[in-house]
Amino acid sequence: MSVRELVVLGTAGQVPTRHRNHNGYVLLWDGEGILFDPGEGTQRQMLHAGVAAHDLNRVCVTHFHGDHSLGLAGVIQRVNLDRVPHPVTAHFPAGGEHFFERLRYSTAYHETVRLRVEPVRAPGVLAPGPPYELSAARLSHPVEAYGYRVTEPDGRRMLPERLAAHGITGPDVARLQRDGALRGVTLDEVSVRRRGQRFAFVMDTRLCDGVHELADGCDLLVIESTFLDEDTALAEEYGHLTAGQAGRVAADAGVRHLVLTHFSQRYADPAAFGEQARAAGFTGELTVARDLDRVPLPRRR
């Protein structure tokens, strides 16, 4: 059975709290796993969440501030300790490649797994797929930063009543899907377009074109909301978003499910983040993330 869901490992911004671990998020997608921004404590949070090193196929780092990357050393060593049987690909801003190498070889260990190192050197497609296309867009933060987007190719949904009307059954359905036509019947006559699912991960950034590009039409958007709206000036100064800005971005982009995260330690109760996102006009499904939440992708339209 295929599973598409986000596993939240940590939701703290900069400083962990008693109730929030440093960042860490795993997107499970039909048997593949992408780990985003592993902060300190990621290994332990994976254990609590029931996510194994074997579940990981990619690691994507948005930028090299510690709360988004200091867990890399432990994760890479765990992947090797567990002898993960497939290659693991690492994406991160190319300008931070020296940070990546320092974290990768911060201590001695035995390398058993092929780690493909693919720095992000420019916005665009990183992996064309299948099973998905992974792309990156530049963000606006004091250090080089990229957000990531996962896009499933559009497909077709077959219409049983139209197939039956044309007498197409069994193996002939697969032939029609493969060839586009069968005995004078075209695929368009017996099916409709099925929009592929879309996911985006947007961390530390001010409002910029990349934020809107990543969020556009997403089924599930994970986005930082470090500050509340009354601290907009601080957000701009330090290169972050407010809850209201995140909600407005999601509303304008037609996002179906919005996940707010990366909360400053100055706020004890994150409930206000959801309230401000709603006040900014977002009416879709909303999750104010907590550590160890599991958030499924919405069902296809």
Side-chain angles (χ1 to χ4, degrees):
M1 180 178 177
S2 64
V3 173
R4 293 185 182 181
E5 67 176 355
L6 175 76
V7 183
V8 179
L9 303 178
T11 58
Q14 191 177 40
V15 176
T17 73
R18 291 178 182 272
H19 304 289
R20 302 177 199 155
N21 197 74
H22 262 159
N23 280 283
Y25 311 83
V26 176
L27 177 66
L28 299 175
W29 187 285
D30 296 351
E32 290 209 8
I34 307 175
L35 171 63
F36 294 94
D37 279 8
E40 291 180 69
T42 291
Q43 270 197 90
R44 192 165 188 272
Q45 293 297 95
M46 287 172 60
L47 180 64
H48 285 307
V51 176
H54 283 64
D55 295 325
L56 303 181
N57 298 82
R58 296 181 187 272
V59 180
C60 294
V61 177
T62 59
H63 66 290
F64 282 101
H65 278 156
D67 53 325
H68 296 260
S69 61
L70 283 176
L72 263 173
V75 169
I76 290 173
Q77 291 189 27
R78 184 58 181 270
V79 164
N80 284 274
L81 178 66
D82 289 2
R83 297 180 179 270
V84 170
H86 52 259
V88 176
T89 304
H91 303 284
F92 51 85
E97 192 160 7
H98 56 298
F99 295 126
F100 178 84
E101 290 301 315
R102 289 173 188 171
L103 289 164
R104 180 180 181 183
Y105 294 116
S106 57
T107 67
Y109 66 98
H110 181 54
E111 292 185 89
T112 64
V113 176
R114 181 183 174 194
L115 182 63
R116 296 170 174 159
V117 179
E118 298 184 4
V120 182
R121 304 192 185 280
V125 175
L126 306 176
Y132 50 71
E133 176 186 276
L134 177 68
S135 59
R138 188 69 183 259
L139 299 176
S140 175
H141 199 52
V143 300
E144 184 183 13
Y146 286 91
Y148 297 94
R149 181 176 168 101
V150 174
T151 304
E152 178 186 33
D154 292 342
R156 307 290 301 188
R157 181 167 63 86
M158 306 304 290
L159 302 174
E161 66 281 3
R162 294 189 189 179
L163 289 168
H166 289 283
I168 300 174
T169 60
D172 281 345
V173 176
R175 295 188 186 99
L176 176 59
Q177 289 177 300
R178 182 189 65 227
D179 300 333
L182 180 73
R183 298 194 295 270
V185 179
T186 66
L187 188 59
D188 287 340
E189 293 178 79
V190 294
S191 67
V192 293
R193 176 177 170 271
R194 185 193 67 194
R195 181 180 179 274
Q197 290 187 307
R198 304 173 189 186
F199 166 90
F201 184 79
V202 178
M203 280 295 120
D204 300 16
T205 183
R206 303 175 184 91
L207 286 175
C208 63
D209 290 343
V211 172
H212 298 287
E213 177 186 340
L214 291 162
D216 183 39
C218 274
D219 296 283
L220 185 64
L221 170 65
V222 181
I223 189 168
E224 69 118 316
S225 56
T226 306
F227 293 98
L228 293 176
D229 290 346
E230 52 265 35
D231 293 318
T232 298
L234 281 176
E236 177 67 22
E237 179 181 358
Y238 291 108
H240 287 287
L241 298 174
T242 69
Q245 288 172 334
R248 184 73 256 162
V249 165
D252 291 345
V255 168
R256 298 176 65 197
H257 192 151
L258 171 64
V259 178
L260 300 177
T261 188
H262 194 272
F263 308 117
S264 168
Q265 70 272 17
R266 70 179 57 216
Y267 309 111
D269 182 5
F273 288 87
E275 295 166 5
Q276 291 191 355
R278 291 293 190 201
F282 182 71
T283 58
E285 193 168 355
L286 174 64
T287 296
V288 178
R290 298 172 300 176
D291 289 19
L292 305 182
D293 274 351
R294 302 183 84 98
V295 184
L297 265 75
R299 297 177 68 89
R300 287 192 179 91
R301 299 179 194 270

